[in-house]
Amino acid sequence: MRTEKHHKGWNEIKTNDSWALFKIMGEFVNGFEKMSQIGPCVSIFGSARTKPGAPFYELAVDTAKKIAEAGYGVITGGGPGIMEAGNKGANLAGGTSVGLNIDLPFEQHDNPFIDPDKSLDFDYFFVRKVMFVKYSQGFVVMPGGFGTLDELFEAMTLIQTNKIHKFPIILVGTDFWSGLVDWIKNTMLTVKNISPQDLDLIKVVDTADEVVEIIDAFYKGNTLSPNF
């Protein structure tokens, strides 16, 4: 027999929300304390469903390795797939390897390549997203799904609206991203929902070397620091 879900009333919701504030504050405090100590890092995003041995998994490993060799740490969402590949590459290069994990019902679990003292767990997506945006010196975006797009457009929106400092946002995989980029140019820009300079917020590349070149070139003239 199917059990009906309990629908909370207004008073119960209000009580639960009040107590949730303490948990949210705790996640922010813990995140700020730990992330403020990691130094300059680049975040790598992409699908949790990408398997080891797949071309983009191996490209993510190589990219993270070269990012670490260039002196940056690597931050990922801490799970499998591209996230695992990013932490693995940083780990292979002896660089800082950070995982910002979140409990999800189907695809999220810690990967083994995160530095033991740099694995953080979150219950709230919005707190986790603040950590990515505040402490990343760049976003490297591999092919992914809705979560990857969410992180991508969040960063673009915050930079576009001057809520955070500009940093490199690099899409890896021309074949995967070209349809989206063309739509932005030919539809959003055509109807003037964005400005021409907004197209400069992203770069599209295909190799690990190009990723590192873009990041290094950007920080020749910009300070490495938290973004707000």
Side-chain angles (χ1 to χ4, degrees):
M1 185 174 176
R2 185 173 141 189
T3 303
E4 293 294 329
K5 287 186 178 180
H6 170 64
H7 292 283
K8 297 176 181 177
W10 285 105
N11 287 336
E12 186 177 359
I13 290 172
K14 182 178 179 180
T15 300
N16 288 344
D17 286 351
S18 297
W19 283 108
L21 288 174
F22 293 100
K23 188 166 183 12
I24 293 166
M25 288 171 61
E27 288 198 358
F28 273 119
V29 170
N30 184 54
F32 287 156
E33 286 185 346
K34 289 190 175 182
M35 295 298 286
S36 65
Q37 301 175 34
I38 64 173
C41 285
V42 173
S43 287
I44 296 179
F45 300 96
S47 177
R49 307 181 189 194
T50 305
K51 303 298 182 186
F56 278 110
Y57 182 100
E58 301 306 325
L59 179 56
V61 172
D62 187 39
T63 301
K65 187 171 180 290
K66 290 183 176 180
I67 287 171
E69 289 170 347
Y72 305 93
V74 170
I75 305 172
T76 80
I82 296 296
M83 293 175 281
E84 177 184 290
N87 290 125
K88 182 178 180 180
N91 189 273
L92 288 172
T96 298
S97 182
V98 183
L100 307 183
N101 217 324
I102 192 161
D103 184 33
L104 297 177
F106 303 115
E107 56 189 40
Q108 184 79 6
H109 57 78
D110 288 356
N111 72 66
F113 302 105
I114 304 167
D115 294 343
D117 62 334
K118 297 179 180 67
S119 180
L120 286 76
D121 294 311
F122 296 90
D123 282 331
Y124 298 97
F125 264 114
F126 65 89
V127 180
R128 181 181 183 236
K129 287 168 73 176
V130 169
M131 301 304 153
F132 277 121
V133 169
K134 182 174 178 64
Y135 294 105
S136 296
Q137 310 303 144
F139 275 16
V140 176
V141 190
M142 298 279 179
F146 290 147
T148 302
L149 292 174
D150 181 40
E151 300 289 358
L152 167 63
F153 283 108
E154 173 88 4
M156 291 174 66
T157 301
L158 292 172
I159 293 172
Q160 180 201 47
T161 54
N162 294 319
K163 293 298 182 182
I164 62 172
H165 301 310
K166 184 177 180 180
F167 59 72
I169 300 174
I170 307 164
L171 310 183
V172 182
T174 302
D175 288 345
F176 183 87
W177 294 109
S178 59
L180 175 63
V181 173
D182 288 344
W183 179 78
I184 292 172
K185 290 179 180 177
N186 298 329
T187 301
M188 294 181 75
L189 182 59
T190 298
V191 299
K192 299 182 179 179
N193 285 348
I194 60 172
S195 302
Q197 59 267 28
D198 291 334
L199 298 175
D200 297 332
L201 295 176
I202 53 174
K203 305 291 184 185
V204 185
V205 304
D206 287 301
T207 69
D209 288 335
E210 289 174 295
V211 170
V212 175
E213 286 171 7
I214 290 171
I215 295 170
D216 278 346
F218 182 86
Y219 285 108
K220 281 181 180 176
N222 292 277
T223 303
L224 289 162
S225 66
N227 297 310
F228 60 87

